[in-house]
Amino acid sequence: MSRTPANSARVVVIGAGIVGCSLADELTARGWTDVTVLEQGPLPAPGGSTSHAPGLVFQTGPSKTMTEFAAYTVRKLGSLEVDGLPCFNAVGGLEVATTEARWADLHRKAGLAASWGVRAALLTPEQCKRLWPMLDETKLFGGLHTPDDGLARALLACRAQMERAASRGARFLERHTVTGIERADGHVTGVVTDRGTFPADHVVSAAGFWGPVIGAMAGVDVPLQPLAHQYATTAPLPELAGVNDPRNEASKPILRFQDRDLYFREHTDRLGIGSYAHRPMPVDPRTVPAFDDAPLMPSSLPFTEEDFAPSWQDSVGLLPALGASEVAEGFNGVFSFTPDGMPLLGESRDLRGFWLAEAVWVTHSAGVAKAVAEWMTDGRPAVDVHECDLHRFEDAQRSPAYIADRGAQSFVEVYDVIHPLQPMEQPRPLRTSPFHPRQQELGAYFLEGGGWERPHWYEANAPLAEGLDLPERDAWSARYWSPIAAAEARATRERVALYDMTPLRRLEVTGPGALDFLHAMTSNNLRKKPGAVTYTLLLDETGGIRSDLTVARLGTDRFQVGANSPADLDWLLRHAPEGVQIRDITSGTCCIGVWGPLARDLVQPLTRDDFSHEGFGYFRAKQTYLGHVPVTAMRLSYVGELGWELYTTADLGLRLWDTLWEAGQQHGVLAAGRSAFNSLRLEKGYRAWGTDMTDEHDPYEAGLGFAVRLDKEFTGRAALEGKATPARKLTALLLDDPAANVLGKEPVHLDGAPVGYVTSAAYGYTLGRCVAYAWLPVLPAGTAVHVEYFGEKIPATVADEPLFDPKMTRIRR
């Protein structure tokens, strides 16, 4: 992570849209005053997405990070004004439901609002009508009102922040088209424009949908797909005549009709209508005309009336008064979409000092700028941004075809009700493990993650689920679930099962300095003999958990590291000293988890090595052969049962599966999927990084203090001193009702008020209860709480952990 002293850092920001202007303001407020913002168009309206953005700011969504970005945007823009005009109009937001599915989703969204601290209330159709008199309330099931949402005046907000940043020393230069990025020794050194070169220690691409063009100049991949989005304005409406002050434009909440992919906002006496209901319209940023060559502005493409016609009819259906009006004008505005719909933030590893602040809408603009400014000046943002990290995508997710396909799908799904397990539809299958043919033969039900096809259960095991006494599930928790998962979990506890662990990331770290490097980078003691496996944490300088790792010392200078995301590889590569090599070996290898009380009975006859408890202890590794297959065996268990993770090269993976499958028949072996896996790991209290904890949490809060050795030096150690008694804690909950289920991100209430939120949850088939982990104030076991699920307050009880096999007798035998 490159950092420069505040008084000497030279920063060039490319793009003077809402993100670039916000970033200049945030940087200069932190003492980095040598900031130059370059813009190819005229100021203050240069013609990018900011210049036409309708300015909707809705805070609530499934991402806590994005909600925090939006909440900061509301607070900041709400404090700004230009020429007596406010930069934010807090008219609120109103989402209406015309289907039972949407009405249920609004209950879920009200729960998300409570989890993230956003004011929200569910309304009856009559209450919606009072807020929006033009509504046909007979078509509504109800609505969700968020009074603190509203409309950002993006160009005014740009002006306000430009003026403030300029007063601190920043300069904004219009009509400077960037033509190149200069670099030396892997670091950015300057920006070349058609009007001169600007030296820089840091360059930030905040170029909006031109981001891929700027990235190409720097040799940095920017996985972003611009798409056009329709926006139309009606003729003047009698119903709005004299209602709104022209200086504020709007008084009614922003209205979202997501069942038809529409939103509405007032423009004094007219309505603006935005539509995501049309076909995806990809745009090549390299062909977008320059400002002076564009009919209106570069980001505003000609309106295609035929695409909007169905949306107009849907609008009239919800707001009958529009039947007497018409579309007065419209355009197809260009916005940025990524494969997962999230922004692209952070510093490139390949070109140090080159930063991205891309794929950011006005909604999140100020929050993103604050996070990037903190990242640049302090070394990390104050909020967790792993969902936005520019290094989060796999190589297989960076092809132009993938970015185009997934970007289009992100557009289509903007207003869809998305289940937390719902996979993207295309392109699939993309990444498959060597075991895929056998999994297909067993009727695997695949979901997708990181491009990988991941079996969640196997239809071949359906007979084992017959007769199981399982509580009936509601429609939401029953999606992407099968009672077969219960049978697979039971078989794992009673016999033995094979789990495909191939998608879990594996890094190889080698070289004479490998031990010293890993020991200094992580929290636990790695100075152990070859054959040792250690669970440890990758922390940042504030003690936040960047990742959790499983480090196996396979030789004096050779380690295999079980990691989480591509960002882990990026972090280690940034810090690796000369002579230490780090290589991602995931795609060239594979892994089977063999777990259950009969795991040793299955594996031992296949090898001449001693797999007894005395001969092969817990958290140990051996390189051996199983039948004809060379394997690295690690005695680990993520499900709380005896067993091993067995690794081999991808070319031998199918032979390994067949060897284990054939040998396991006499022991009743079966293949088990991730649905059972998740249930078992939660019963055991095993954390999932990125879900249960992030760099916003320290090890003691997360219940991982056992992986911290304060008697050694490591990144983040100083920040952990004195933190061993946390004020909040990742807490195990058992739902009181055996038939109840929750899935994650629901608010937890104590004495009638929300005090935290669920991270992971799954039905514990061994325990006969749903297990949920939640971030809560420190509460004693036995405390009664309620988890809000689709508006229902479900009783739950704080429990001691681990919930299952607390003495570890099943693993250590």
Side-chain angles (χ1 to χ4, degrees), residues 453-786:
E453 295 296 317
R454 301 184 177 201
H456 275 243
W457 63 83
Y458 293 85
E459 289 297 329
N461 299 326
L464 300 176
E466 295 175 3
L468 290 180
D469 184 17
L470 297 174
E472 186 175 346
R473 290 202 168 209
D474 65 279
W476 187 251
S477 65
R479 291 183 67 184
Y480 307 107
W481 174 84
S482 168
I484 296 171
E488 293 175 358
R490 176 173 293 185
T492 307
R493 293 277 189 240
E494 296 177 352
R495 302 194 304 277
V496 61
L498 307 184
Y499 288 83
D500 182 1
M501 306 300 290
T502 300
L504 300 186
R505 183 166 310 280
R506 293 173 291 286
L507 308 178
E508 182 183 72
V509 182
T510 58
L515 174 59
D516 290 341
F517 167 62
L518 290 172
H519 189 68
M521 287 295 294
T522 64
S523 63
N524 212 336
N525 175 32
L526 298 187
R527 296 197 185 281
K528 302 173 183 177
K529 295 178 180 179
V533 182
T534 306
Y535 178 81
T536 188
L537 303 173
L538 198 63
L539 307 178
D540 63 22
E541 292 178 355
T542 70
I545 305 171
R546 285 193 57 91
S547 188
D548 61 341
L549 309 177
T550 303
V551 180
R553 190 177 188 186
L554 302 181
T556 303
D557 299 317
R558 184 165 69 92
F559 295 81
Q560 182 172 307
V561 177
N564 286 294
S565 80
D568 294 346
L569 174 62
D570 172 69
W571 181 260
L572 292 173
L573 285 172
R574 286 177 186 274
H575 293 86
E578 188 174 348
V580 173
Q581 293 81 43
I582 306 172
R583 188 166 64 97
D584 190 327
I585 60 172
T586 309
S587 297
T589 56
C590 58
C591 177
I592 299 176
V594 183
W595 291 312
L598 302 182
R600 183 175 289 114
D601 297 330
L602 190 161
V603 176
Q604 182 62 82
L606 299 174
T607 179
R608 296 181 180 179
D609 284 311
D610 184 2
F611 269 56
S612 70
H613 182 62
E614 295 74 22
F616 196 157
Y618 191 52
F619 267 83
R620 299 292 298 172
K622 281 187 180 182
Q623 292 178 288
T624 184
Y625 289 86
L626 296 184
H628 297 91
V629 182
V631 300
T632 298
M634 298 185 195
R635 191 169 167 199
L636 308 173
S637 176
Y638 205 51
V639 299
E641 296 292 336
L642 170 69
W644 289 266
E645 293 179 358
L646 304 173
Y647 299 88
T648 191
T649 52
D651 59 321
L652 291 166
L654 201 57
R655 185 59 176 262
L656 176 61
W657 180 281
D658 289 344
T659 299
L660 294 167
W661 187 257
E662 181 179 349
Q665 292 308 300
Q666 62 179 310
H667 304 295
V669 72
L670 54 68
R674 290 189 66 84
S675 186
F677 175 88
N678 198 45
S679 170
L680 296 169
R681 71 102 180 166
L682 282 171
E683 289 185 328
K684 194 62 182 166
Y686 293 143
R687 279 64 166 145
W689 183 86
T691 301
D692 296 318
M693 72 276 191
T694 68
D695 64 5
E696 290 186 359
H697 310 109
D698 70 48
Y700 303 112
E701 296 172 324
L704 299 175
F706 66 86
V708 175
R709 296 291 180 268
L710 292 177
D711 58 353
K712 56 165 268 192
E713 291 298 325
F714 59 90
T715 301
R717 178 190 177 281
L720 294 182
E721 293 182 341
K723 283 192 173 183
T725 307
R728 62 176 177 175
K729 181 183 176 184
L730 185 62
T731 305
L733 302 176
L734 280 175
L735 271 58
D736 295 351
D737 182 354
N741 276 289
V742 298
L743 298 182
K745 301 189 178 181
E746 297 89 357
V748 180
H749 298 259
L750 177 66
D751 297 330
V755 292
Y757 59 91
V758 173
T759 57
S760 295
Y763 198 84
Y765 301 109
T766 317
L767 301 173
R769 292 283 193 281
C770 182
V771 179
Y773 273 79
W775 280 104
L776 297 174
V778 175
L779 300 171
T783 301
V785 297
H786 288 82

Side-chain angles (χ1 to χ4, degrees), residues 414-486:
V414 163
Y415 279 173
D416 286 0
V417 177
I418 303 295
H419 192 277
L421 292 176
Q422 183 174 330
M424 295 286 262
E425 295 178 0
Q426 296 295 333
R428 291 182 64 195
L430 182 62
R431 307 177 78 186
T432 59
S433 80
F435 322 129
H436 192 253
R438 299 293 182 263
Q439 294 166 344
Q440 289 179 305
E441 292 168 6
L442 294 170
Y445 184 88
F446 293 100
L447 297 179
E448 180 264 355
W452 288 100
E453 295 296 317
R454 301 184 177 201
H456 275 243
W457 63 83
Y458 293 85
E459 289 297 329
N461 299 326
L464 300 176
E466 295 175 3
L468 290 180
D469 184 17
L470 297 174
E472 186 175 346
R473 290 202 168 209
D474 65 279
W476 187 251
S477 65
R479 291 183 67 184
Y480 307 107
W481 174 84
S482 168
I484 296 171

Side-chain angles (χ1 to χ4, degrees), residues 76-93:
K76 183 176 185 182
L77 270 55
S79 70
L80 299 176
E81 63 176 40
V82 175
D83 298 333
L85 295 174
C87 293
F88 184 78
N89 185 1
V91 292

Side-chain angles (χ1 to χ4, degrees), residues 13-17 19-20 38-40 48-50 178 204-215 222 224 285 336 354-360:
V13 178
I14 301 172
V19 178
L38 302 175
E39 174 52 59
Q40 63 181 342
S49 299
T50 299
V178 174
V204 185
S205 178
F209 63 80
W210 285 284
V213 177
I214 300 299
V222 181
L224 176 160
S336 301
F354 185 82
W355 296 77
L356 295 186
E358 296 289 6
V360 182

Side-chain angles (χ1 to χ4, degrees), residues 218-481:
V220 174
D221 184 33
V222 181
L224 176 160
Q225 175 63 58
L227 289 116
H229 158 59
Q230 290 201 297
Y231 193 79
T233 307
T234 68
L237 298 171
E239 293 79 5
L240 296 181
V243 171
N244 295 313
D245 181 346
R247 291 171 58 84
N248 289 324
E249 292 189 345
S251 57
K252 296 179 184 62
I254 309 161
L255 179 65
R256 289 205 285 187
F257 180 22
Q258 292 172 302
D259 288 322
R260 290 293 184 270
D261 296 309
L262 292 168
Y263 64 83
F264 306 85
R265 59 150 294 180
E266 296 172 297
H267 291 280
T268 310
D269 61 349
R270 304 166 184 254
L271 279 188
I273 307 172
S275 172
Y276 294 99
H278 54 82
R279 62 190 169 90
M281 303 177 188
V283 175
D284 185 345
R286 295 166 297 184
T287 63
V288 174
F291 187 93
D292 293 330
D293 298 328
L296 181 60
M297 65 178 78
S299 64
S300 182
L301 305 181
F303 189 62
T304 50
E305 295 181 8
E306 64 278 9
D307 289 305
F308 194 75
S311 292
W312 177 254
Q313 294 304 315
D314 288 334
S315 299
V316 172
L318 183 70
L319 307 170
L322 294 182
S325 186
E326 62 181 358
V327 173
E329 56 185 354
F331 64 94
N332 292 357
V334 184
F335 289 91
S336 301
F337 289 82
T338 58
D340 60 4
M342 301 293 280
L344 299 168
L345 310 180
E347 182 189 24
S348 169
R349 185 182 69 254
D350 298 322
L351 182 59
R352 301 295 180 91
F354 185 82
W355 296 77
L356 295 186
E358 296 289 6
V360 182
W361 294 5
V362 171
T363 307
H364 310 103
S365 56
V368 163
K370 175 177 179 287
V372 173
E374 290 168 340
W375 210 339
M376 295 174 71
T377 59
D378 300 333
R380 59 153 286 174
V383 301
D384 165 52
V385 294
H386 82 272
E387 295 173 309
C388 311
D389 193 304
L390 67 92
H391 301 98
R392 68 187 180 272
F393 294 116
E394 307 281 351
D395 288 344
Q397 297 174 302
R398 291 180 170 272
S399 71
Y402 186 96
I403 294 165
D405 288 347
R406 292 290 174 104
Q409 188 68 18
S410 291
F411 176 90
V412 169
E413 293 179 346
V414 163
Y415 279 173
D416 286 0
V417 177
I418 303 295
H419 192 277
L421 292 176
Q422 183 174 330
M424 295 286 262
E425 295 178 0
Q426 296 295 333
R428 291 182 64 195
L430 182 62
R431 307 177 78 186
T432 59
S433 80
F435 322 129
H436 192 253
R438 299 293 182 263
Q439 294 166 344
Q440 289 179 305
E441 292 168 6
L442 294 170
Y445 184 88
F446 293 100
L447 297 179
E448 180 264 355
W452 288 100
E453 295 296 317
R454 301 184 177 201
H456 275 243
W457 63 83
Y458 293 85
E459 289 297 329
N461 299 326
L464 300 176
E466 295 175 3
L468 290 180
D469 184 17
L470 297 174
E472 186 175 346
R473 290 202 168 209
D474 65 279
W476 187 251
S477 65
R479 291 183 67 184
Y480 307 107
W481 174 84

